[in-house]
Amino acid sequence: MAGFTRPWKRVLEWGCGGGANVVHFAPRTEEFVGVDISVETLQECEKQVAAVCGTPFRPIAIDVAQPETAVAQVEGWCDMFLSFYVFELIPHRSTASGCSGSRPRCSPRAAWR
């Protein structure tokens, strides 16, 4: 993302875990939305955001059997959609349909990583 200077209003990370990525992206956005199946890792991710910046963190805990439910909890647009690890865990692309439902919540100018 070197050289990327456009401001971000909202970044969403699908599978944020304990916050390894959030510490790099949260300081550059107005709001960071973390989506994960574990409430405990969402809590740790929130601590990591607080340790590096004042960006509001919005946790969304989802049921692994119904990941599409996360989309309904995101109001408005996201400027950046991150998912660095989740798709490695999906055994077949047909089971990724729940994650693909998040795309409509992304701004037409959104970056996907």
Side-chain angles (χ1 to χ4, degrees):
M1 302 302 302
F4 189 86
T5 58
R6 183 170 53 89
W8 299 327
K9 290 189 181 287
R10 180 181 293 140
V11 172
L12 183 147
E13 183 172 10
W14 192 279
C16 62
N21 299 313
V22 75
V23 297
H24 302 287
F25 290 93
R28 301 182 66 183
T29 187
E30 293 177 20
E31 178 186 24
F32 195 95
V33 178
V35 178
D36 208 288
I37 60 172
S38 168
V39 172
E40 292 79 13
T41 58
L42 286 166
Q43 292 169 344
E44 180 60 29
C45 193
E46 186 168 25
K47 288 179 189 175
Q48 295 301 318
V49 171
V52 297
C53 65
T55 298
F57 177 77
R58 189 151 152 244
I60 297 177
I62 59 170
D63 179 351
V64 70
Q66 296 179 314
E68 66 278 0
T69 61
V71 176
Q73 297 179 54
V74 179
E75 298 175 9
W77 297 100
C78 294
D79 296 305
M80 169 73 75
F81 180 94
L82 305 171
S83 186
F84 293 107
Y85 181 65
V86 171
F87 291 99
E88 293 178 26
L89 304 176
I90 299 173
H92 188 269
R93 72 182 206 185
S94 65
T95 58
S97 62
C99 298
S100 65
S102 58
R103 188 173 183 94
R105 297 288 186 196
C106 289
S107 162
R109 295 180 43 196
W112 281 64
R113 299 290 175 246

